[in-house]
Amino acid sequence: MSIIAFVGLGIMGRSMARNLMRAGHALFLHTRTRARAEDLLGEGAEWRDSPAAAVAGAGIAITMVGLPAEVEEVYYGPSGLLDAAAPGTFLIDMSTSPPDLAERIHRDAAGRGLRALDAPVSGGDVGARDATLAVMVGGERADFEAMEPVLAGVGRTIVHVGPAGSGQHCKMVNQIVIGGTMLGVAEALTYGRRAGLDAATVLRVIGGGAAGSFALNHLGPRMAAGDFAPGFMVEHFVKDMTIAAEESRRFALDLPGLALAHAQYRRLLELGNGRDGTQALFRLYNP
């Protein structure tokens, strides 16, 4: 059993924290809104008033927050982890943020005798709930190997993809795939609706063929039902694709599929649907 400081209890973070507790770990929790932690506190976790307070006495800190500015605050702020963690502590950022920020955290952590990994995840609310997330890890291999059993509490596919920042680059690859796939699912279901087909029947048959994917099989039914509750919010997906677009420009890449998905999701954000799930893209085609 490990003592883990867990910072950030959003849609995915709450389930991840619960699964770590079920795996036998003790958790010190901090999030901006304490009410989000109440159910976990009732299940045995302990509350802490800041990231610095959470990491005191913990050998591992896991962060799962929404925006790069929040990652900066959690690690570098006046109550941040870097200045508070004891030497030898593992710092695992499972948020999605720019690769260069992950590299900076790793470098600054190493200078303090800390062991940092960037470990963003994919799988949405379903994967977080079922502990079946894909975890893509950047950092030192020895640190990855030490933390792999802990990460097994939240994920099924846990892979070391390279040095610091590589986890975030792999997450950009993931988000580029998802952006294009979501366009295809939304447009295809719109076509099927206009053709008079039953959406459930269409999803059952094509979901078992070459078109099958997480987006089609899990989010397609939500689109068809008009269920836009978030498993992963539009505003966070726009943030991720913004990072992917910026990195692509840095690599001098022209990725028109990414550009189109990014533009469509920005339209959705501008229409006020930023807190909806990514399947709300269907709204653009079916106002």
Side-chain angles (χ1 to χ4, degrees):
M1 182 192 79
S2 300
I3 299 176
I4 300 173
F6 198 100
V7 179
L9 297 174
I11 293 169
M12 296 176 66
R14 183 185 290 106
S15 293
M16 293 164 67
R18 176 173 284 113
N19 285 328
L20 287 168
M21 292 172 63
R22 289 174 176 168
H25 303 292
L27 262 61
F28 298 161
L29 300 178
H30 176 74
T31 193
R32 288 182 300 179
T33 306
R34 177 171 172 152
R36 292 182 178 176
E38 291 299 335
D39 54 346
L40 295 173
L41 298 178
E43 296 169 23
E46 297 184 25
W47 174 256
R48 295 293 185 267
D49 288 329
S50 68
V55 79
I60 303 166
I62 294 177
T63 53
M64 184 64 179
V65 299
L67 300 173
E70 294 172 317
V71 176
E72 289 260 7
E73 180 67 18
V74 165
Y75 282 90
Y76 291 97
S79 296
L81 294 171
L82 284 173
D83 286 338
T89 301
F90 288 88
L91 306 177
I92 308 174
D93 184 29
M94 305 191 79
S95 319
T96 300
S97 61
D100 62 351
L101 176 55
E103 293 169 5
R104 177 156 57 95
I105 290 171
H106 179 272
R107 182 173 60 251
D108 293 343
R112 293 166 167 83
L114 307 171
R115 306 168 72 177
L117 296 169
D118 51 292
V121 299
S122 181
D125 59 334
V126 175
R129 184 192 67 217
D130 296 342
T132 58
L133 293 168
V135 187
M136 43 210 90
V137 187
E140 303 299 328
R141 173 162 282 281
D143 296 341
F144 164 77
E145 291 174 352
M147 288 295 99
E148 188 175 8
V150 174
L151 295 173
V154 300
R156 177 178 294 166
T157 304
I158 305 159
V159 179
H160 180 252
V161 295
S166 298
Q168 299 295 352
H169 279 303
C170 190
K171 182 62 181 286
M172 293 306 107
V173 173
N174 185 82
Q175 300 305 68
I176 292 168
V177 171
I178 290 175
T181 303
M182 291 297 287
L183 285 174
V185 173
E187 293 184 1
L189 291 182
T190 299
Y191 177 96
R193 171 179 284 189
R194 188 63 56 88
L197 300 176
D198 176 70
T201 301
V202 168
L203 287 165
R204 185 169 72 251
V205 64
I206 72 171
S213 67
F214 180 92
L216 182 78
N217 296 334
H218 290 273
L219 299 181
R222 297 188 193 184
M223 288 184 185
D227 175 6
F228 303 125
F232 185 67
M233 288 191 291
V234 167
E235 63 183 26
H236 289 159
F237 196 35
V238 170
K239 175 262 296 182
D240 293 355
M241 284 193 288
T242 300
I243 296 170
E246 290 171 349
E247 291 297 309
S248 297
R249 285 192 291 272
R250 189 169 68 83
F251 294 147
L253 290 174
D254 178 22
L255 302 180
L258 169 61
L260 177 57
H262 193 197
Q264 289 290 75
Y265 273 99
R266 288 201 309 271
R267 280 184 60 202
L268 199 58
L269 190 62
E270 291 163 2
L271 291 171
N273 301 116
R275 306 290 288 181
D276 284 346
T278 53
Q279 71 275 15
L281 184 67
F282 195 59
R283 290 183 188 274
L284 293 184
Y285 300 94
N286 300 272

